[in-house]
Amino acid sequence: MRQELINRNVAQLVQIPKQRKRKPVPWTSEEARRFLESARSESDPLYAAYVLVLVLGLRKGEVLGLAWEAVSFGQGTLVPDHQLQRVRRSLLYRETKTEASDAWLPMPDIVAAALRIRRTQQDREREAAGEIWQQTNAMPSLIFTGRYGTPIYPRTLNRKFTARCDAAGVRRLTVHDARHTRATLLVDLDVHPRVIMRILRHTDQAVTMEIYANASSTATREALRRLGDILH
């Protein structure tokens, strides 16, 4: 057709059945608990990042682009209004795409506690690095940085996440797929339904209460509650 030798592409008449993508099954709250406890017990520098993914459902770019200026411990909120993305071998610090994405989010106790742990870790890393600590003027004070203050690439988070799955002995999920575990975790952490509704951005509270109705076992809820108490 490009060479104008024929005027019709008969291959376009072939009907190919659409392949249905298999949706990954999110972790149970027990698997998520094992994953987080593994990261916390080994002082994983990305532990707080995993908490943000699993509890608040932040996207990978939002986690890596989150700055300390966007976190208010006093008000118990954070605003994921920027993201870190890799485009043609370069890291770009950009605003999130929609207004809904950069709305403030309430922080459950486990999130605030994890971020405080991360702040202490980063202070130690900065002190150990001394003069070679790097912070680009194009970005604010990022929460998740390498040992010398440089931003973390998305593929690095992917690799670390997979390695942590193996270390914790849980099913491998991608960072994106693990986000869908957050609803069960919030219920098991005894977060108030109105707060869950705000975090999940539900417009109908009946949807949120349906999640409550499908909450996991009492033993798992108690285990997650203890984890929150330890971290707070």
Side-chain angles (χ1 to χ4, degrees), residues 17 39 46 52 59 78 110 140 156 161 192 195 216 220:
L46 290 173
L52 289 170
R59 298 173 180 85
L78 61 83
I110 188 175
T156 300
F161 194 90
H192 192 278
V195 178
S216 53
T220 301

PDB file of all heavy atoms in Angstrom, residues 17 39 46 52 59 78 110 140 156 161 192 195 216 220:
ATOM      1  N   PRO A  17      -8.922 -12.568  18.146  1.00  0.00           N
ATOM      2  CA  PRO A  17      -9.579 -12.473  19.465  1.00  0.00           C
ATOM      3  C   PRO A  17      -8.719 -11.691  20.454  1.00  0.00           C
ATOM      4  O   PRO A  17      -7.489 -11.837  20.477  1.00  0.00           O
ATOM      5  CB  PRO A  17      -9.729 -13.936  19.891  1.00  0.00           C
ATOM      6  CG  PRO A  17      -8.693 -14.676  19.099  1.00  0.00           C
ATOM      7  CD  PRO A  17      -8.589 -13.947  17.786  1.00  0.00           C
ATOM      8  N   ALA A  39      11.113  -5.578  56.215  1.00  0.00           N
ATOM      9  CA  ALA A  39      11.829  -4.343  55.890  1.00  0.00           C
ATOM     10  C   ALA A  39      12.179  -3.558  57.140  1.00  0.00           C
ATOM     11  O   ALA A  39      13.286  -3.012  57.267  1.00  0.00           O
ATOM     12  CB  ALA A  39      10.975  -3.492  54.950  1.00  0.00           C
ATOM     13  N   LEU A  46      14.293   1.852  52.429  1.00  0.00           N
ATOM     14  CA  LEU A  46      13.064   2.066  51.663  1.00  0.00           C
ATOM     15  C   LEU A  46      11.826   1.574  52.403  1.00  0.00           C
ATOM     16  O   LEU A  46      10.751   1.502  51.823  1.00  0.00           O
ATOM     17  CB  LEU A  46      13.166   1.360  50.306  1.00  0.00           C
ATOM     18  CG  LEU A  46      14.163   1.981  49.317  1.00  0.00           C
ATOM     19  CD1 LEU A  46      14.297   1.113  48.083  1.00  0.00           C
ATOM     20  CD2 LEU A  46      13.739   3.390  48.932  1.00  0.00           C
ATOM     21  N   LEU A  52       4.244   3.700  52.286  1.00  0.00           N
ATOM     22  CA  LEU A  52       3.469   4.659  51.496  1.00  0.00           C
ATOM     23  C   LEU A  52       2.742   3.969  50.343  1.00  0.00           C
ATOM     24  O   LEU A  52       1.620   4.334  50.006  1.00  0.00           O
ATOM     25  CB  LEU A  52       4.396   5.752  50.953  1.00  0.00           C
ATOM     26  CG  LEU A  52       4.943   6.737  51.985  1.00  0.00           C
ATOM     27  CD1 LEU A  52       6.026   7.604  51.362  1.00  0.00           C
ATOM     28  CD2 LEU A  52       3.826   7.612  52.540  1.00  0.00           C
ATOM     29  N   ARG A  59       1.701   6.088  44.058  1.00  0.00           N
ATOM     30  CA  ARG A  59       2.360   5.524  42.888  1.00  0.00           C
ATOM     31  C   ARG A  59       3.875   5.617  43.053  1.00  0.00           C
ATOM     32  O   ARG A  59       4.380   6.393  43.849  1.00  0.00           O
ATOM     33  CB  ARG A  59       1.919   6.270  41.628  1.00  0.00           C
ATOM     34  CG  ARG A  59       0.422   6.157  41.345  1.00  0.00           C
ATOM     35  CD  ARG A  59       0.014   7.054  40.198  1.00  0.00           C
ATOM     36  NE  ARG A  59      -1.415   6.944  39.925  1.00  0.00           N
ATOM     37  CZ  ARG A  59      -2.356   7.629  40.566  1.00  0.00           C
ATOM     38  NH1 ARG A  59      -2.020   8.478  41.532  1.00  0.00           N
ATOM     39  NH2 ARG A  59      -3.628   7.476  40.261  1.00  0.00           N
ATOM     40  N   LEU A  78      -0.023  14.625  54.351  1.00  0.00           N
ATOM     41  CA  LEU A  78       1.015  14.798  53.342  1.00  0.00           C
ATOM     42  C   LEU A  78       0.351  15.078  52.006  1.00  0.00           C
ATOM     43  O   LEU A  78      -0.812  14.725  51.790  1.00  0.00           O
ATOM     44  CB  LEU A  78       1.946  13.585  53.269  1.00  0.00           C
ATOM     45  CG  LEU A  78       1.380  12.208  52.901  1.00  0.00           C
ATOM     46  CD1 LEU A  78       1.243  12.022  51.390  1.00  0.00           C
ATOM     47  CD2 LEU A  78       2.270  11.100  53.450  1.00  0.00           C
ATOM     48  N   ILE A 110       0.978   4.482  61.384  1.00  0.00           N
ATOM     49  CA  ILE A 110       2.065   3.670  60.843  1.00  0.00           C
ATOM     50  C   ILE A 110       2.851   4.433  59.774  1.00  0.00           C
ATOM     51  O   ILE A 110       4.067   4.273  59.637  1.00  0.00           O
ATOM     52  CB  ILE A 110       1.524   2.342  60.272  1.00  0.00           C
ATOM     53  CG1 ILE A 110       2.674   1.412  59.885  1.00  0.00           C
ATOM     54  CG2 ILE A 110       0.592   2.570  59.103  1.00  0.00           C
ATOM     55  CD1 ILE A 110       2.216   0.036  59.434  1.00  0.00           C
ATOM     56  N   PRO A 140      13.579  19.640  45.592  1.00  0.00           N
ATOM     57  CA  PRO A 140      13.563  19.952  47.027  1.00  0.00           C
ATOM     58  C   PRO A 140      14.235  18.838  47.821  1.00  0.00           C
ATOM     59  O   PRO A 140      14.910  17.983  47.252  1.00  0.00           O
ATOM     60  CB  PRO A 140      12.064  20.041  47.337  1.00  0.00           C
ATOM     61  CG  PRO A 140      11.453  19.085  46.349  1.00  0.00           C
ATOM     62  CD  PRO A 140      12.279  19.186  45.103  1.00  0.00           C
ATOM     63  N   THR A 156      15.369   1.165  40.273  1.00  0.00           N
ATOM     64  CA  THR A 156      16.027   0.746  41.508  1.00  0.00           C
ATOM     65  C   THR A 156      14.987   0.345  42.544  1.00  0.00           C
ATOM     66  O   THR A 156      15.130  -0.666  43.245  1.00  0.00           O
ATOM     67  CB  THR A 156      16.916   1.867  42.066  1.00  0.00           C
ATOM     68  OG1 THR A 156      17.916   2.196  41.103  1.00  0.00           O
ATOM     69  CG2 THR A 156      17.587   1.447  43.369  1.00  0.00           C
ATOM     70  N   PHE A 161      12.231  -3.719  45.629  1.00  0.00           N
ATOM     71  CA  PHE A 161      10.926  -4.238  46.047  1.00  0.00           C
ATOM     72  C   PHE A 161      10.869  -5.756  45.830  1.00  0.00           C
ATOM     73  O   PHE A 161      10.410  -6.503  46.693  1.00  0.00           O
ATOM     74  CB  PHE A 161       9.816  -3.539  45.262  1.00  0.00           C
ATOM     75  CG  PHE A 161       8.441  -3.748  45.832  1.00  0.00           C
ATOM     76  CD1 PHE A 161       7.926  -2.879  46.778  1.00  0.00           C
ATOM     77  CD2 PHE A 161       7.656  -4.813  45.413  1.00  0.00           C
ATOM     78  CE1 PHE A 161       6.654  -3.068  47.302  1.00  0.00           C
ATOM     79  CE2 PHE A 161       6.386  -5.010  45.932  1.00  0.00           C
ATOM     80  CZ  PHE A 161       5.893  -4.137  46.879  1.00  0.00           C
ATOM     81  N   HIS A 192     -10.381   4.769  60.757  1.00  0.00           N
ATOM     82  CA  HIS A 192     -11.807   5.121  60.725  1.00  0.00           C
ATOM     83  C   HIS A 192     -12.321   5.091  59.285  1.00  0.00           C
ATOM     84  O   HIS A 192     -11.623   5.498  58.349  1.00  0.00           O
ATOM     85  CB  HIS A 192     -12.009   6.518  61.318  1.00  0.00           C
ATOM     86  CG  HIS A 192     -13.440   6.847  61.589  1.00  0.00           C
ATOM     87  ND1 HIS A 192     -14.293   7.310  60.607  1.00  0.00           N
ATOM     88  CD2 HIS A 192     -14.171   6.780  62.735  1.00  0.00           C
ATOM     89  CE1 HIS A 192     -15.493   7.512  61.130  1.00  0.00           C
ATOM     90  NE2 HIS A 192     -15.448   7.199  62.414  1.00  0.00           N
ATOM     91  N   VAL A 195     -11.852   8.176  57.218  1.00  0.00           N
ATOM     92  CA  VAL A 195     -10.468   8.405  56.807  1.00  0.00           C
ATOM     93  C   VAL A 195     -10.121   7.495  55.627  1.00  0.00           C
ATOM     94  O   VAL A 195      -9.476   7.924  54.670  1.00  0.00           O
ATOM     95  CB  VAL A 195      -9.500   8.161  57.982  1.00  0.00           C
ATOM     96  CG1 VAL A 195      -8.051   8.347  57.532  1.00  0.00           C
ATOM     97  CG2 VAL A 195      -9.814   9.099  59.136  1.00  0.00           C
ATOM     98  N   SER A 216     -10.226  -8.865  56.856  1.00  0.00           N
ATOM     99  CA  SER A 216      -9.604 -10.162  57.089  1.00  0.00           C
ATOM    100  C   SER A 216      -9.722 -10.576  58.546  1.00  0.00           C
ATOM    101  O   SER A 216     -10.388  -9.928  59.351  1.00  0.00           O
ATOM    102  CB  SER A 216      -8.137 -10.109  56.661  1.00  0.00           C
ATOM    103  OG  SER A 216      -7.489  -9.030  57.284  1.00  0.00           O
ATOM    104  N   THR A 220      -5.081 -11.366  62.188  1.00  0.00           N
ATOM    105  CA  THR A 220      -4.266 -10.524  61.327  1.00  0.00           C
ATOM    106  C   THR A 220      -4.464  -9.054  61.663  1.00  0.00           C
ATOM    107  O   THR A 220      -3.519  -8.263  61.678  1.00  0.00           O
ATOM    108  CB  THR A 220      -4.619 -10.771  59.846  1.00  0.00           C
ATOM    109  OG1 THR A 220      -4.386 -12.147  59.547  1.00  0.00           O
ATOM    110  CG2 THR A 220      -3.766  -9.913  58.944  1.00  0.00           C
TER     111      THR A 220
END
